[in-house]
Amino acid sequence: MDMTSKKNIDNRQIRNSENPRRKVYVTEPALPPLSEFLPYLEEIWSSKRVTNNGQFHQQLESALAEYLGVEYVSLFSNGTLALLIALQAQKITGEVITTPYSFVASTHALNWNGISPVFADIDPVTLNLDPKKIEEAITPETTAILPVHVYGTPCNIDAIQYLADIYGLKVIYDAAHAFGVEREGKSILNFGDLSVLSFHGTKVYTTFEGGAIISHDSAMKKRIDSLKNFGFADEVTVVGPGINGKMNEFQAALGLLQLDYIDASIEKRMKLSAKYTGLLGKVHGVTLLKSDKNIRHNYSYFPIFLDTLSFPGIRDKVYDVLKQHGYFGRRYFYPLISSFPTYRGLPSASSKNLPIAERMSNQVICLPLFADLEESDVDNICTIVQNTLV
Ligand SMILES: *Cc1c(COP(=O)(O)O)cnc(C)c1O
């Protein structure tokens, strides 16, 4: 496609300029028709079963296991509690190697468990933990790796498992972005010891708030289910210091209904992503995320990386100009987790240790992407990005 033809459109001519109060955010949830949710509510009202493994909760656990192609699903009230419990369930202690290029909850979950986070640098193409850097960060205190499938791009699963096997480490994936992602037809949630999902309103599949742990054997699921319910194993036996992480019937019912629409929603995201790629793929100074043929993506985010070396300050300039036109991209993931006051004092948090993560973090903008985003908005956004680069 000839991109130069677009350059004669001035930013002022962009339709959204006529209505600067119209705001388009980085994402918005895809919600089913309200009328289809009402029968679920009537059922909850008449059964008076509102939480504690009710019928919708049970149905959603099996429906998700089937949809995702995994063995065991344990639902949670949100993804962060699921991360906390995943680490508890695996009795992780000492040091855990993780990525600075993620949402802050990944590292907070370690902190809340009294575990020392150790940051390792990322791969510049996948934005996920670089296995070589993981290996360099291993010490006698290391007990586990907490990688993140950032933007839904699978980590280097095989290399990570290889390290885990030879060094005797657990692997707990923060799979908050990876709902429905498959590699060679198999869910990536089947890898590692546990994987954790988030169903927050900003995620591809949402129950407003919610999350899940994917486990691979029934004893582990039982342990997780007990830990999220105060440690109760049965009516009178408490087997550990549990917490309340339960998903309620309202969320579970919504989750069931959402499953009817998730494929259509991912399909719409795919089309919009293809349009973005067509318009921005050849623009000088813009790098896009690579996609791999053997991966079924979920198109959860559309990050672009702006060449701040050739065009100093360009990332924040593009971000600001988009905002002036009502397009609210987000600089996910900037700042790095390792630069927040809680973590920046750690030896592994130094920029010298994390040059790639730092560079990518300074170059990224996630452009608006959600099922009901209009194609004309994609056109406008791409025109703004291009005009700002020249
Ligand atoms: C959203 C998210 C979480 C937290 O999930 P919540 O459901 O919001 O608690 C954790 N990790 C990553 C990478 C996320 O994007």
Side-chain angles (χ1 to χ4, degrees):
M1 177 169 195
D2 178 18
M3 297 304 305
T4 50
S5 62
K6 284 244 151 200
K7 287 202 179 129
N8 50 21
I9 303 175
D10 194 88
N11 276 353
R12 279 165 304 181
Q13 291 168 258
I14 290 168
R15 188 179 55 88
N16 216 29
S17 319
E18 292 158 19
N19 181 5
R21 280 181 305 169
R22 176 175 173 267
K23 289 180 178 162
V24 176
Y25 295 101
V26 69
T27 193
E28 67 176 48
L31 299 178
L34 186 57
S35 59
E36 292 183 20
F37 193 45
L38 296 178
Y40 289 89
L41 293 183
E42 280 161 8
E43 177 62 33
I44 294 172
W45 257 246
S46 69
S47 72
K48 303 219 186 315
R49 188 75 193 259
V50 296
T51 186
N52 285 33
N53 201 26
Q55 63 161 327
F56 293 135
H57 185 286
Q58 291 172 33
Q59 285 173 34
L60 184 59
E61 285 196 343
S62 0
L64 276 174
E66 181 169 338
Y67 177 83
L68 295 168
V70 300
E71 191 107 47
Y72 298 102
V73 177
S74 299
L75 295 172
F76 278 81
S77 46
N78 63 61
T80 302
L81 275 165
L83 272 174
L84 291 179
I85 299 294
L87 292 160
Q88 287 274 323
Q90 293 283 351
K91 300 189 162 82
I92 307 297
T93 57
E95 293 178 0
V96 171
I97 297 165
T98 191
T99 172
Y101 192 85
S102 178
F103 182 61
V104 70
S106 311
T107 305
H108 280 347
L110 297 171
N111 193 326
W112 272 70
N113 274 294
I115 296 163
S116 308
V118 174
F119 297 110
D121 208 0
I122 59 171
D123 176 283
V125 175
T126 63
L127 290 306
N128 290 323
L129 275 175
D130 179 342
K132 273 210 299 284
K133 305 294 169 178
I134 296 175
E135 186 163 23
E136 286 167 20
I138 294 172
T139 76
E141 306 305 314
T142 310
T143 60
I145 309 167
L146 184 100
V148 182
H149 301 296
V150 172
Y151 309 132
T153 304
C155 289
N156 191 337
I157 288 162
D158 304 322
I160 288 171
Q161 194 57 53
Y162 176 79
L163 289 177
D165 290 343
I166 59 174
Y167 289 96
L169 308 174
K170 299 283 185 193
V171 181
I172 295 170
Y173 281 107
D174 180 340
H177 300 177
F179 187 92
V181 174
E182 294 175 358
R183 187 184 73 162
E184 281 151 11
K186 187 175 176 194
S187 171
I188 61 167
L189 305 172
N190 287 308
F191 297 92
D193 293 282
L194 297 173
S195 289
V196 176
L197 291 166
S198 165
F199 307 148
H200 183 254
T202 55
K203 307 299 203 270
V204 166
Y205 168 86
T206 180
T207 58
F208 290 1
E209 293 269 4
I213 301 180
I214 308 305
S215 55
H216 316 308
D217 68 84
S218 62
M220 182 49 65
K221 172 166 166 59
K222 221 163 131 188
R223 181 168 172 73
I224 291 164
D225 288 347
S226 135
L227 284 171
K228 75 170 183 190
N229 186 30
F230 311 100
F232 280 107
D234 60 40
E235 199 179 318
V236 292
T237 316
V238 170
V239 293
I243 197 169
N244 182 359
K246 299 186 300 298
M247 176 180 273
N248 66 48
E249 285 292 275
F250 194 93
Q251 292 168 289
L254 179 60
L256 280 170
L257 187 53
Q258 291 287 51
L259 278 181
D260 294 343
Y261 293 94
I262 184 67
D263 285 337
S265 168
I266 290 176
E267 175 95 10
K268 286 189 192 166
R269 286 170 172 275
M270 181 184 76
K271 291 198 172 124
L272 293 161
S273 300
K275 188 172 172 70
Y276 267 130
T277 302
L279 292 171
L280 293 176
K282 295 209 171 68
V283 175
H284 181 61
V286 179
T287 303
L288 307 181
L289 207 56
K290 295 240 178 346
S291 64
D292 201 328
K293 278 207 181 58
N294 59 6
I295 306 298
R296 182 215 185 214
H297 291 281
N298 63 7
Y299 308 94
S300 43
Y301 298 88
F302 199 89
I304 62 170
F305 301 88
L306 294 149
D307 183 357
T308 45
L309 304 175
S310 311
F311 308 89
I314 190 65
R315 191 275 303 273
D316 291 337
K317 187 163 171 215
V318 170
Y319 172 78
D320 287 336
V321 176
L322 282 170
K323 214 153 74 171
Q324 285 157 20
H325 287 84
Y327 293 113
F328 290 72
R330 289 293 298 268
R331 289 165 287 186
Y332 298 142
F333 288 97
Y334 165 87
L336 293 176
I337 301 174
S338 47
S339 64
F340 292 128
T342 319
Y343 303 114
R344 69 185 173 207
L346 295 170
S348 65
S350 76
S351 346
K352 227 173 56 221
N353 187 46
L354 307 167
I356 311 278
E358 190 153 288
R359 186 177 88 220
M360 301 318 276
S361 169
N362 287 327
Q363 297 190 336
V364 70
I365 304 177
C366 283
L367 299 178
L369 179 63
F370 47 90
D372 292 330
L373 179 66
E374 288 175 25
E375 295 210 6
S376 59
D377 286 317
V378 175
D379 282 321
N380 293 346
I381 289 164
C382 294
T383 304
I384 294 168
V385 170
Q386 259 188 281
N387 287 351
T388 311
L389 270 159
V390 289

